[in-house]
PDB file of all heavy atoms in Angstrom:
ATOM      1  N   GLU F   8       0.813  -1.212   0.000  1.00 45.00           N
ATOM      2  CA  GLU F   8       0.000   0.000   0.000  1.00 45.00           C
ATOM      3  C   GLU F   8       0.853   1.272   0.000  1.00 45.00           C
ATOM      4  O   GLU F   8       0.423   2.305  -0.515  1.00 45.00           O
ATOM      5  CB  GLU F   8      -0.919  -0.012   1.233  1.00 45.00           C
ATOM      6  CG  GLU F   8      -1.935  -1.145   1.181  1.00 45.00           C
ATOM      7  CD  GLU F   8      -2.749  -1.177   2.451  1.00 45.00           C
ATOM      8  OE1 GLU F   8      -2.512  -0.302   3.328  1.00 45.00           O
ATOM      9  OE2 GLU F   8      -3.614  -2.066   2.590  1.00 45.00           O
ATOM     10  N   ARG F   9       2.034   1.203   0.598  1.00 45.00           N
ATOM     11  CA  ARG F   9       2.827   2.437   0.744  1.00 45.00           C
ATOM     12  C   ARG F   9       4.222   2.234   0.135  1.00 45.00           C
ATOM     13  O   ARG F   9       5.040   1.530   0.715  1.00 45.00           O
ATOM     14  CB  ARG F   9       2.963   2.807   2.219  1.00 45.00           C
ATOM     15  CG  ARG F   9       1.625   3.217   2.850  1.00 45.00           C
ATOM     16  CD  ARG F   9       1.827   3.594   4.290  1.00 45.00           C
ATOM     17  NE  ARG F   9       2.321   2.459   5.070  1.00 45.00           N
ATOM     18  CZ  ARG F   9       1.510   1.528   5.579  1.00 45.00           C
ATOM     19  NH1 ARG F   9       0.238   1.618   5.382  1.00 45.00           N
ATOM     20  NH2 ARG F   9       2.019   0.535   6.270  1.00 45.00           N
ATOM     21  N   PRO F  10       4.559   2.856  -1.003  1.00 45.00           N
ATOM     22  CA  PRO F  10       5.918   2.744  -1.571  1.00 45.00           C
ATOM     23  C   PRO F  10       6.920   3.500  -0.723  1.00 45.00           C
ATOM     24  O   PRO F  10       6.584   4.482  -0.057  1.00 45.00           O
ATOM     25  CB  PRO F  10       5.767   3.369  -2.959  1.00 45.00           C
ATOM     26  CG  PRO F  10       4.626   4.293  -2.835  1.00 45.00           C
ATOM     27  CD  PRO F  10       3.681   3.680  -1.863  1.00 45.00           C
ATOM     28  N   PHE F  11       8.108   2.947  -0.725  1.00 42.00           N
ATOM     29  CA  PHE F  11       9.168   3.609   0.054  1.00 42.00           C
ATOM     30  C   PHE F  11       9.592   4.892  -0.665  1.00 42.00           C
ATOM     31  O   PHE F  11       9.914   4.874  -1.847  1.00 42.00           O
ATOM     32  CB  PHE F  11      10.378   2.642   0.148  1.00 42.00           C
ATOM     33  CG  PHE F  11      11.435   3.101   1.085  1.00 42.00           C
ATOM     34  CD1 PHE F  11      11.306   2.879   2.431  1.00 42.00           C
ATOM     35  CD2 PHE F  11      12.553   3.761   0.611  1.00 42.00           C
ATOM     36  CE1 PHE F  11      12.282   3.299   3.293  1.00 42.00           C
ATOM     37  CE2 PHE F  11      13.534   4.161   1.490  1.00 42.00           C
ATOM     38  CZ  PHE F  11      13.402   3.942   2.846  1.00 42.00           C
ATOM     39  N   TYR F  12       9.586   6.005   0.044  1.00 42.00           N
ATOM     40  CA  TYR F  12       9.929   7.283  -0.609  1.00 42.00           C
ATOM     41  C   TYR F  12      10.886   8.075   0.286  1.00 42.00           C
ATOM     42  O   TYR F  12      10.892   7.908   1.502  1.00 42.00           O
ATOM     43  CB  TYR F  12       8.675   8.106  -0.905  1.00 42.00           C
ATOM     44  CG  TYR F  12       7.835   8.418   0.311  1.00 42.00           C
ATOM     45  CD1 TYR F  12       8.034   9.607   1.024  1.00 42.00           C
ATOM     46  CD2 TYR F  12       6.856   7.542   0.735  1.00 42.00           C
ATOM     47  CE1 TYR F  12       7.266   9.880   2.121  1.00 42.00           C
ATOM     48  CE2 TYR F  12       6.096   7.819   1.840  1.00 42.00           C
ATOM     49  CZ  TYR F  12       6.294   9.004   2.519  1.00 42.00           C
ATOM     50  OH  TYR F  12       5.524   9.271   3.609  1.00 42.00           O
ATOM     51  N   LEU F  13      11.635   8.949  -0.376  1.00 41.00           N
ATOM     52  CA  LEU F  13      12.642   9.772   0.314  1.00 41.00           C
ATOM     53  C   LEU F  13      12.454  11.205  -0.151  1.00 41.00           C
ATOM     54  O   LEU F  13      13.202  11.716  -1.009  1.00 41.00           O
ATOM     55  CB  LEU F  13      14.050   9.279  -0.029  1.00 41.00           C
ATOM     56  CG  LEU F  13      14.349   7.816   0.338  1.00 41.00           C
ATOM     57  CD1 LEU F  13      15.717   7.422  -0.224  1.00 41.00           C
ATOM     58  CD2 LEU F  13      14.314   7.640   1.816  1.00 41.00           C
ATOM     59  N   ASP F  14      11.443  11.863   0.339  1.00 45.00           N
ATOM     60  CA  ASP F  14      11.125  13.230  -0.120  1.00 45.00           C
ATOM     61  C   ASP F  14      12.273  14.202   0.152  1.00 45.00           C
ATOM     62  O   ASP F  14      12.680  14.986  -0.708  1.00 45.00           O
ATOM     63  CB  ASP F  14       9.871  13.739   0.583  1.00 45.00           C
ATOM     64  CG  ASP F  14       8.669  12.920   0.147  1.00 45.00           C
ATOM     65  OD1 ASP F  14       8.749  12.285  -0.930  1.00 45.00           O
ATOM     66  OD2 ASP F  14       7.661  12.892   0.887  1.00 45.00           O
ATOM     67  N   ARG F  15      12.780  14.128   1.361  1.00 43.00           N
ATOM     68  CA  ARG F  15      13.792  15.096   1.732  1.00 43.00           C
ATOM     69  C   ARG F  15      15.087  14.883   0.963  1.00 43.00           C
ATOM     70  O   ARG F  15      15.744  15.833   0.513  1.00 43.00           O
ATOM     71  CB  ARG F  15      14.069  15.013   3.236  1.00 43.00           C
ATOM     72  CG  ARG F  15      15.101  16.027   3.723  1.00 43.00           C
ATOM     73  CD  ARG F  15      15.225  15.943   5.216  1.00 43.00           C
ATOM     74  NE  ARG F  15      16.240  16.872   5.694  1.00 43.00           N
ATOM     75  CZ  ARG F  15      16.592  17.002   6.968  1.00 43.00           C
ATOM     76  NH1 ARG F  15      15.971  16.271   7.889  1.00 43.00           N
ATOM     77  NH2 ARG F  15      17.538  17.861   7.338  1.00 43.00           N
ATOM     78  N   ALA F  16      15.458  13.585   0.787  1.00 43.00           N
ATOM     79  CA  ALA F  16      16.710  13.295   0.069  1.00 43.00           C
ATOM     80  C   ALA F  16      16.633  13.742  -1.364  1.00 43.00           C
ATOM     81  O   ALA F  16      17.564  14.319  -1.908  1.00 43.00           O
ATOM     82  CB  ALA F  16      17.001  11.803   0.146  1.00 43.00           C
ATOM     83  N   LEU F  17      15.507  13.518  -2.025  1.00 43.00           N
ATOM     84  CA  LEU F  17      15.366  13.897  -3.420  1.00 43.00           C
ATOM     85  C   LEU F  17      15.346  15.404  -3.591  1.00 43.00           C
ATOM     86  O   LEU F  17      15.893  15.942  -4.550  1.00 43.00           O
ATOM     87  CB  LEU F  17      14.082  13.282  -3.992  1.00 43.00           C
ATOM     88  CG  LEU F  17      14.100  11.740  -4.113  1.00 43.00           C
ATOM     89  CD1 LEU F  17      12.757  11.253  -4.611  1.00 43.00           C
ATOM     90  CD2 LEU F  17      15.208  11.307  -5.056  1.00 43.00           C
ATOM     91  N   SER F  18      14.715  16.111  -2.630  1.00 44.00           N
ATOM     92  CA  SER F  18      14.650  17.577  -2.767  1.00 44.00           C
ATOM     93  C   SER F  18      16.046  18.191  -2.616  1.00 44.00           C
ATOM     94  O   SER F  18      16.425  19.097  -3.341  1.00 44.00           O
ATOM     95  CB  SER F  18      13.695  18.161  -1.726  1.00 44.00           C
ATOM     96  OG  SER F  18      14.156  17.855  -0.427  1.00 44.00           O
ATOM     97  N   GLU F  19      16.843  17.717  -1.659  1.00 46.00           N
ATOM     98  CA  GLU F  19      18.175  18.261  -1.452  1.00 46.00           C
ATOM     99  C   GLU F  19      19.097  17.901  -2.605  1.00 46.00           C
ATOM    100  O   GLU F  19      19.934  18.691  -3.055  1.00 46.00           O
ATOM    101  CB  GLU F  19      18.745  17.747  -0.128  1.00 46.00           C
ATOM    102  CG  GLU F  19      18.015  18.319   1.077  1.00 46.00           C
ATOM    103  CD  GLU F  19      18.663  17.837   2.365  1.00 46.00           C
ATOM    104  OE1 GLU F  19      19.661  17.085   2.275  1.00 46.00           O
ATOM    105  OE2 GLU F  19      18.169  18.208   3.455  1.00 46.00           O
ATOM    106  N   SER F  20      18.934  16.654  -3.097  1.00 44.00           N
ATOM    107  CA  SER F  20      19.773  16.251  -4.223  1.00 44.00           C
ATOM    108  C   SER F  20      19.479  17.067  -5.470  1.00 44.00           C
ATOM    109  O   SER F  20      20.364  17.428  -6.226  1.00 44.00           O
ATOM    110  CB  SER F  20      19.533  14.764  -4.504  1.00 44.00           C
ATOM    111  OG  SER F  20      20.195  14.352  -5.649  1.00 44.00           O
ATOM    112  N   SER F  21      18.228  17.436  -5.642  1.00 45.00           N
ATOM    113  CA  SER F  21      17.828  18.221  -6.807  1.00 45.00           C
ATOM    114  C   SER F  21      18.390  19.631  -6.759  1.00 45.00           C
ATOM    115  O   SER F  21      18.770  20.218  -7.759  1.00 45.00           O
ATOM    116  CB  SER F  21      16.308  18.253  -6.913  1.00 45.00           C
ATOM    117  OG  SER F  21      15.898  19.052  -7.971  1.00 45.00           O
ATOM    118  N   SER F  22      18.490  20.230  -5.544  1.00 46.00           N
ATOM    119  CA  SER F  22      18.975  21.610  -5.409  1.00 46.00           C
ATOM    120  C   SER F  22      20.491  21.695  -5.520  1.00 46.00           C
ATOM    121  O   SER F  22      21.048  22.706  -5.927  1.00 46.00           O
ATOM    122  CB  SER F  22      18.508  22.187  -4.072  1.00 46.00           C
ATOM    123  OG  SER F  22      19.043  21.418  -3.022  1.00 46.00           O
ATOM    124  N   GLN F  23      21.250  20.706  -5.139  1.00 46.00           N
ATOM    125  CA  GLN F  23      22.709  20.782  -5.106  1.00 46.00           C
ATOM    126  C   GLN F  23      23.344  20.336  -6.414  1.00 46.00           C
ATOM    127  O   GLN F  23      24.462  20.710  -6.734  1.00 46.00           O
ATOM    128  CB  GLN F  23      23.252  19.910  -3.955  1.00 46.00           C
ATOM    129  CG  GLN F  23      22.883  20.471  -2.581  1.00 46.00           C
ATOM    130  CD  GLN F  23      23.407  19.588  -1.466  1.00 46.00           C
ATOM    131  OE1 GLN F  23      24.048  18.570  -1.752  1.00 46.00           O
ATOM    132  NE2 GLN F  23      23.166  19.991  -0.232  1.00 46.00           N
ATOM    133  N   ASN F  24      22.704  19.486  -7.189  1.00 45.00           N
ATOM    134  CA  ASN F  24      23.309  18.964  -8.411  1.00 45.00           C
ATOM    135  C   ASN F  24      22.461  19.361  -9.600  1.00 45.00           C
ATOM    136  O   ASN F  24      21.342  18.880  -9.752  1.00 45.00           O
ATOM    137  CB  ASN F  24      23.419  17.445  -8.335  1.00 45.00           C
ATOM    138  CG  ASN F  24      24.314  16.999  -7.176  1.00 45.00           C
ATOM    139  OD1 ASN F  24      25.523  17.142  -7.231  1.00 45.00           O
ATOM    140  ND2 ASN F  24      23.688  16.527  -6.121  1.00 45.00           N
ATOM    141  N   ASP F  25      22.985  20.287 -10.431  1.00 48.00           N
ATOM    142  CA  ASP F  25      22.249  20.750 -11.606  1.00 48.00           C
ATOM    143  C   ASP F  25      22.612  19.954 -12.831  1.00 48.00           C
ATOM    144  O   ASP F  25      21.892  19.953 -13.814  1.00 48.00           O
ATOM    145  CB  ASP F  25      22.558  22.242 -11.881  1.00 48.00           C
ATOM    146  CG  ASP F  25      22.062  23.105 -10.744  1.00 48.00           C
ATOM    147  OD1 ASP F  25      21.057  22.674 -10.089  1.00 48.00           O
ATOM    148  OD2 ASP F  25      22.641  24.156 -10.489  1.00 48.00           O
ATOM    149  N   SER F  26      23.769  19.298 -12.841  1.00 45.00           N
ATOM    150  CA  SER F  26      24.194  18.568 -14.024  1.00 45.00           C
ATOM    151  C   SER F  26      23.474  17.238 -14.104  1.00 45.00           C
ATOM    152  O   SER F  26      23.146  16.643 -13.083  1.00 45.00           O
ATOM    153  CB  SER F  26      25.702  18.315 -13.980  1.00 45.00           C
ATOM    154  OG  SER F  26      26.032  17.504 -12.870  1.00 45.00           O
ATOM    155  N   GLY F  27      23.252  16.818 -15.362  1.00 46.00           N
ATOM    156  CA  GLY F  27      22.516  15.580 -15.579  1.00 46.00           C
ATOM    157  C   GLY F  27      23.278  14.377 -15.100  1.00 46.00           C
ATOM    158  O   GLY F  27      22.713  13.458 -14.569  1.00 46.00           O
ATOM    159  N   SER F  28      24.606  14.404 -15.271  1.00 44.00           N
ATOM    160  CA  SER F  28      25.382  13.231 -14.886  1.00 44.00           C
ATOM    161  C   SER F  28      25.434  13.051 -13.400  1.00 44.00           C
ATOM    162  O   SER F  28      25.336  11.940 -12.891  1.00 44.00           O
ATOM    163  CB  SER F  28      26.819  13.343 -15.459  1.00 44.00           C
ATOM    164  OG  SER F  28      27.459  14.487 -14.941  1.00 44.00           O
ATOM    165  N   ALA F  29      25.598  14.202 -12.710  1.00 43.00           N
ATOM    166  CA  ALA F  29      25.634  14.098 -11.234  1.00 43.00           C
ATOM    167  C   ALA F  29      24.321  13.614 -10.701  1.00 43.00           C
ATOM    168  O   ALA F  29      24.252  12.786  -9.805  1.00 43.00           O
ATOM    169  CB  ALA F  29      26.014  15.460 -10.641  1.00 43.00           C
ATOM    170  N   GLY F  30      23.210  14.183 -11.263  1.00 45.00           N
ATOM    171  CA  GLY F  30      21.875  13.758 -10.797  1.00 45.00           C
ATOM    172  C   GLY F  30      21.636  12.293 -11.093  1.00 45.00           C
ATOM    173  O   GLY F  30      21.049  11.587 -10.311  1.00 45.00           O
ATOM    174  N   SER F  31      22.071  11.859 -12.251  1.00 44.00           N
ATOM    175  CA  SER F  31      21.868  10.453 -12.609  1.00 44.00           C
ATOM    176  C   SER F  31      22.596   9.543 -11.670  1.00 44.00           C
ATOM    177  O   SER F  31      22.097   8.511 -11.260  1.00 44.00           O
ATOM    178  CB  SER F  31      22.330  10.241 -14.052  1.00 44.00           C
ATOM    179  OG  SER F  31      22.227   8.876 -14.396  1.00 44.00           O
ATOM    180  N   SER F  32      23.843   9.955 -11.311  1.00 44.00           N
ATOM    181  CA  SER F  32      24.626   9.135 -10.384  1.00 44.00           C
ATOM    182  C   SER F  32      23.959   9.044  -9.037  1.00 44.00           C
ATOM    183  O   SER F  32      23.907   8.000  -8.412  1.00 44.00           O
ATOM    184  CB  SER F  32      26.036   9.725 -10.257  1.00 44.00           C
ATOM    185  OG  SER F  32      26.771   9.003  -9.279  1.00 44.00           O
ATOM    186  N   GLU F  33      23.400  10.205  -8.565  1.00 45.00           N
ATOM    187  CA  GLU F  33      22.765  10.208  -7.243  1.00 45.00           C
ATOM    188  C   GLU F  33      21.500   9.371  -7.233  1.00 45.00           C
ATOM    189  O   GLU F  33      21.207   8.680  -6.262  1.00 45.00           O
ATOM    190  CB  GLU F  33      22.463  11.650  -6.844  1.00 45.00           C
ATOM    191  CG  GLU F  33      23.706  12.476  -6.544  1.00 45.00           C
ATOM    192  CD  GLU F  33      23.359  13.938  -6.346  1.00 45.00           C
ATOM    193  OE1 GLU F  33      22.174  14.267  -6.526  1.00 45.00           O
ATOM    194  OE2 GLU F  33      24.252  14.697  -5.994  1.00 45.00           O
ATOM    195  N   GLU F  34      20.732   9.459  -8.328  1.00 44.00           N
ATOM    196  CA  GLU F  34      19.505   8.664  -8.382  1.00 44.00           C
ATOM    197  C   GLU F  34      19.840   7.184  -8.384  1.00 44.00           C
ATOM    198  O   GLU F  34      19.152   6.381  -7.749  1.00 44.00           O
ATOM    199  CB  GLU F  34      18.712   9.017  -9.640  1.00 44.00           C
ATOM    200  CG  GLU F  34      18.081  10.412  -9.558  1.00 44.00           C
ATOM    201  CD  GLU F  34      17.368  10.763 -10.831  1.00 44.00           C
ATOM    202  OE1 GLU F  34      17.382   9.929 -11.775  1.00 44.00           O
ATOM    203  OE2 GLU F  34      16.778  11.833 -10.893  1.00 44.00           O
ATOM    204  N   THR F  35      20.919   6.828  -9.077  1.00 42.00           N
ATOM    205  CA  THR F  35      21.318   5.414  -9.096  1.00 42.00           C
ATOM    206  C   THR F  35      21.694   4.950  -7.713  1.00 42.00           C
ATOM    207  O   THR F  35      21.334   3.845  -7.280  1.00 42.00           O
ATOM    208  CB  THR F  35      22.507   5.219 -10.033  1.00 42.00           C
ATOM    209  OG1 THR F  35      22.125   5.662 -11.344  1.00 42.00           O
ATOM    210  CG2 THR F  35      22.930   3.743 -10.087  1.00 42.00           C
ATOM    211  N   ASP F  36      22.441   5.824  -7.006  1.00 45.00           N
ATOM    212  CA  ASP F  36      22.806   5.469  -5.627  1.00 45.00           C
ATOM    213  C   ASP F  36      21.578   5.303  -4.772  1.00 45.00           C
ATOM    214  O   ASP F  36      21.516   4.420  -3.913  1.00 45.00           O
ATOM    215  CB  ASP F  36      23.725   6.553  -5.018  1.00 45.00           C
ATOM    216  CG  ASP F  36      25.090   6.585  -5.734  1.00 45.00           C
ATOM    217  OD1 ASP F  36      25.422   5.538  -6.356  1.00 45.00           O
ATOM    218  OD2 ASP F  36      25.766   7.618  -5.656  1.00 45.00           O
ATOM    219  N   SER F  37      20.587   6.182  -4.988  1.00 43.00           N
ATOM    220  CA  SER F  37      19.358   6.082  -4.178  1.00 43.00           C
ATOM    221  C   SER F  37      18.659   4.781  -4.464  1.00 43.00           C
ATOM    222  O   SER F  37      18.168   4.103  -3.545  1.00 43.00           O
ATOM    223  CB  SER F  37      18.427   7.262  -4.490  1.00 43.00           C
ATOM    224  OG  SER F  37      19.061   8.473  -4.163  1.00 43.00           O
ATOM    225  N   VAL F  38      18.556   4.401  -5.717  1.00 39.00           N
ATOM    226  CA  VAL F  38      17.899   3.141  -6.056  1.00 39.00           C
ATOM    227  C   VAL F  38      18.633   1.969  -5.458  1.00 39.00           C
ATOM    228  O   VAL F  38      18.049   1.028  -4.941  1.00 39.00           O
ATOM    229  CB  VAL F  38      17.801   3.004  -7.583  1.00 39.00           C
ATOM    230  CG1 VAL F  38      17.296   1.619  -7.963  1.00 39.00           C
ATOM    231  CG2 VAL F  38      16.895   4.071  -8.146  1.00 39.00           C
ATOM    232  N   LEU F  39      19.992   2.013  -5.550  1.00 39.00           N
ATOM    233  CA  LEU F  39      20.772   0.939  -4.951  1.00 39.00           C
ATOM    234  C   LEU F  39      20.566   0.854  -3.465  1.00 39.00           C
ATOM    235  O   LEU F  39      20.493  -0.231  -2.893  1.00 39.00           O
ATOM    236  CB  LEU F  39      22.260   1.140  -5.263  1.00 39.00           C
ATOM    237  CG  LEU F  39      22.659   0.942  -6.734  1.00 39.00           C
ATOM    238  CD1 LEU F  39      24.126   1.303  -6.926  1.00 39.00           C
ATOM    239  CD2 LEU F  39      22.394  -0.495  -7.168  1.00 39.00           C
ATOM    240  N   LEU F  40      20.463   2.040  -2.813  1.00 40.00           N
ATOM    241  CA  LEU F  40      20.205   2.048  -1.368  1.00 40.00           C
ATOM    242  C   LEU F  40      18.882   1.398  -1.052  1.00 40.00           C
ATOM    243  O   LEU F  40      18.754   0.610  -0.110  1.00 40.00           O
ATOM    244  CB  LEU F  40      20.238   3.480  -0.841  1.00 40.00           C
ATOM    245  CG  LEU F  40      21.626   4.108  -0.688  1.00 40.00           C
ATOM    246  CD1 LEU F  40      21.495   5.584  -0.319  1.00 40.00           C
ATOM    247  CD2 LEU F  40      22.424   3.375   0.385  1.00 40.00           C
ATOM    248  N   VAL F  41      17.879   1.764  -1.844  1.00 43.00           N
ATOM    249  CA  VAL F  41      16.559   1.183  -1.583  1.00 43.00           C
ATOM    250  C   VAL F  41      16.584  -0.317  -1.789  1.00 43.00           C
ATOM    251  O   VAL F  41      16.040  -1.104  -1.014  1.00 43.00           O
ATOM    252  CB  VAL F  41      15.511   1.845  -2.494  1.00 43.00           C
ATOM    253  CG1 VAL F  41      14.167   1.122  -2.364  1.00 43.00           C
ATOM    254  CG2 VAL F  41      15.357   3.304  -2.144  1.00 43.00           C
TER     255      VAL F  41
END
């Protein structure tokens, strides 16, 4: 019923990394963490 979400982590990651490659790397790390 409830997917695991990280609102705060995604918001901070979005503000600090403007480049596509950096964001892609962080999202991959987040998925791996999950």
Side-chain angles (χ1 to χ4, degrees):
E8 295 176 1
R9 293 181 298 276
F11 189 82
Y12 58 92
L13 301 173
D14 294 339
R15 181 176 178 181
L17 292 177
S18 61
E19 291 183 1
S20 174
S21 177
S22 61
Q23 292 179 0
N24 298 287
D25 296 331
S26 63
S28 61
S31 176
S32 175
E33 291 172 356
E34 289 177 359
T35 301
D36 293 339
S37 299
V38 172
L39 291 174
L40 284 173
V41 173

